[in-house]
Amino acid sequence: MCPAQLSANQDRGFIIPIGGGEDRIKERQIHRRFVELSGGAAADIVVIPTASELESTGQDYNRIFRDLGAAGVDYLPITKRADCDNPRYLEMLERATGIFLTGGNQLRLSTILGGTGIAQKIRKRNAAGATVAGTSAGASIMSEHMIAGGESNSIPAEGVVSLAPGLGLTNAVIIDQHFTQRNRLGRLLAASSYNPFLIGLGIDEDTAAFIGPNGMFEVVGSGTVTVVDASGLSYSSMWEASRGQALSLLGLKVDVMSEGCRYDLVGRHAYPPDPSDAFCALPNRSVEGGSKH
């Protein structure tokens, strides 16, 4: 699944995967920047708390975004696939300038939203310029290939990660969350080895990657984003490994990036937090990359 097609002279909206556990009380830096990108005082934000089974989740995020000055905030109480046919929910998404997917269980989120009009509307709104953010499970589902589950505290081995289709807002990356806190490097390396075209993003708690329409992302928050680039692999044993067998992955490139660092998903290059760096001059580019699989 490639990202939805762009209209003429239209920039795609930001996508913002968040590693979970973000600050919701003090500075709320990530939420604040999401509101700003969604239009600030004119923002119309729709929260989708489907991944969570807590009834209070939608209301909690509504309060946060209202406190940060968004003009309109509402949430969609989608708990089953039939809810995705509600024309009122589709209308709310049609006018949304910002869409926020909460944390919870990414398989709950994908099995309820996948293939529905709601999923299609999210993709189309992002292609039309709306900002889409997601935390934890809401971050994982953003990519075409979603990490559905797997083992933490593991070496890279065959079978330590399971994949499922995601929303396809980007097909350039595969995303893991709660990354350092749950020691998920092994499963991200395994996921990246399935198709070295994909760039692995391991996002820590209270940390986000603000991915712009030009294929650049900036790290925001108190943790790090670990970038795994497997495109230069000289050898991988994944194709011949038996279940549970440790993998050999030679030629990987790994960047660990804290706040202010930026990364070019097209050129596959990291930049330090210096506004005078060359990335500022990079042209606006799409990162659909459908033909690069």
Side-chain angles (χ1 to χ4, degrees):
M1 183 189 299
C2 293
Q5 293 298 309
L6 292 169
S7 304
N9 301 317
Q10 175 67 58
D11 283 340
R12 195 177 301 279
F14 272 74
I15 61 174
I16 309 169
I18 307 164
E22 70 274 17
D23 168 27
R24 305 184 197 178
I25 299 173
K26 296 180 180 179
E27 296 300 322
R28 296 180 290 191
Q29 181 183 14
I30 294 170
H31 301 124
R32 191 178 305 277
R33 289 190 63 171
F34 164 67
V35 171
E36 290 171 357
L37 285 170
S38 300
D44 190 334
I45 293 172
V46 172
V47 177
I48 301 178
T50 304
S52 174
E53 296 186 68
L54 300 175
E55 293 184 4
S56 62
T57 300
Q59 297 173 359
D60 289 345
Y61 277 101
N62 276 16
R63 174 184 50 78
I64 290 170
F65 297 135
R66 286 198 187 101
D67 288 348
L68 292 174
V73 187
D74 211 336
Y75 72 95
L76 308 184
I78 297 172
T79 59
K80 54 186 182 298
R81 287 184 67 83
D83 294 334
C84 297
D85 296 325
N86 189 321
R88 177 173 172 267
Y89 296 168
L90 293 171
E91 290 172 6
M92 291 166 65
L93 285 174
E94 180 62 34
R95 65 174 184 264
T97 59
I99 300 168
F100 192 92
L101 304 166
T102 75
N105 185 310
Q106 53 259 47
L107 274 178
R108 173 179 165 85
L109 188 56
S110 65
T111 55
I112 292 176
L113 297 189
T116 68
I118 292 291
Q120 294 173 15
K121 184 64 72 174
I122 294 170
R123 287 163 44 81
K124 289 178 180 178
R125 290 301 298 141
N126 181 243
T131 301
V132 180
T135 185
S136 190
S140 289
I141 200 174
M142 288 183 167
S143 53
E144 177 184 12
H145 302 282
M146 176 184 80
I147 293 180
E151 299 178 21
S152 300
N153 300 303
S154 173
I155 61 170
E158 203 288 326
V160 301
V161 65
S162 58
L163 305 181
L167 284 177
L169 298 178
T170 171
N171 63 4
V173 303
I174 188 166
I175 299 164
D176 211 345
Q177 19 77 12
H178 302 283
F179 191 68
T180 298
Q181 289 76 15
R182 300 184 186 179
N183 192 15
R184 287 176 166 172
L185 178 60
R187 79 178 195 178
L188 183 61
L189 291 173
S192 297
S193 73
Y194 284 133
N195 184 344
F197 162 78
L198 297 171
I199 294 174
L201 298 184
I203 307 177
D204 289 354
E205 293 178 3
D206 190 36
T207 309
F210 280 68
I211 306 174
N214 63 350
M216 298 292 300
F217 77 75
E218 180 180 354
V219 179
V220 176
S222 62
T224 62
V225 174
T226 299
V227 180
V228 175
D229 179 6
S231 63
L233 275 178
S234 59
Y235 173 75
S236 170
S237 64
M238 172 58 86
W239 71 274
E240 58 186 351
S242 57
R243 186 167 183 83
Q245 183 177 358
L247 299 178
S248 296
L249 301 169
L250 308 183
L252 284 167
K253 180 182 177 183
V254 177
D255 290 296
V256 179
M257 306 167 59
S258 61
E259 183 166 65
C261 289
R262 303 196 187 194
Y263 192 89
D264 176 9
L265 291 170
V266 179
R268 295 176 181 252
H269 190 81
Y271 297 88
D274 183 346
S276 66
D277 272 348
F279 61 74
C280 296
L282 286 174
N284 197 10
R285 302 160 302 187
S286 168
V287 290
E288 293 180 33
S291 63
K292 296 180 182 177
H293 289 273

